[in-house]
Amino acid sequence: MFIEYRSLSWWYWLVIAVFLTAGMSGWAFGFLSAIGLAALQLIHFAISKRSITAFPFQVRLGYLLVLLLFFALPENLGWLFWLPTIGTWATALFGYCMMARIVSLLPWNRKEAFSLGFLKRAFLSAPTRGNILFPSA
């Protein structure tokens, strides 16, 4: 488990996961709360990293866009919110961030060509501290 209670980033993900779970349980304001906190997190990382090209900013931007897209879908497609709900719990509890792995595939974030081996490493490698681009030792 990747419980990092000393990390503000971990707390963002945990609370967003709780809000999404509340939204999936019927509390409609849960989705808006999750979107609002994701937007706040995006602003926080834009200021702290001082760059909108920083990898953590890109991950949070992609995540917020997914939440906004799912929120804009017709009500009968609301079940799709299970995807970011489960993914956010995976990030908070196990450190596996699907969005980070997807963002790492963007041309400006990778240094090697696409291959089956590259895709396997991107999606099947164990979670790391730091980010998937430059894992810390």
Side-chain angles (χ1 to χ4, degrees):
M1 294 190 88
F2 263 59
I3 308 297
E4 297 182 338
Y5 64 90
R6 292 183 181 168
S7 165
L8 180 59
S9 177
W10 181 81
W11 283 103
Y12 276 126
W13 293 125
L14 179 67
V15 175
I16 291 170
V18 169
F19 283 149
L20 288 173
T21 302
M24 293 305 297
S25 299
W27 186 50
F29 194 66
F31 296 128
L32 288 174
S33 300
I35 290 168
L37 187 55
L40 179 66
Q41 180 181 202
L42 179 70
I43 292 166
H44 172 240
F45 273 80
I47 293 168
S48 69
K49 299 299 180 187
R50 297 180 185 191
S51 171
I52 61 170
T53 60
F55 188 75
F57 178 85
Q58 292 178 53
V59 170
R60 283 149 182 89
L61 176 61
Y63 181 81
L64 178 60
L65 292 174
V66 165
L67 291 184
L68 290 169
L69 173 69
F70 285 4
F71 190 74
L73 290 174
E75 190 174 329
N76 62 343
L77 293 176
W79 63 270
L80 286 173
F81 257 110
W82 277 114
L83 297 171
T85 302
I86 292 167
T88 307
W89 278 112
T91 299
L93 297 178
F94 306 110
Y96 185 93
C97 181
M98 180 64 78
M99 183 58 70
R101 291 159 191 271
I102 292 169
V103 169
S104 74
L105 299 177
L106 295 173
W108 54 86
N109 289 331
R110 60 184 163 87
K111 296 179 180 173
E112 67 180 277
F114 271 96
S115 67
L116 185 56
F118 175 69
L119 290 174
K120 282 183 183 178
R121 281 192 313 281
F123 290 104
L124 301 178
S125 62
T128 62
R129 304 243 183 250
N131 66 51
I132 192 135
L133 290 179
F134 306 106
S136 54

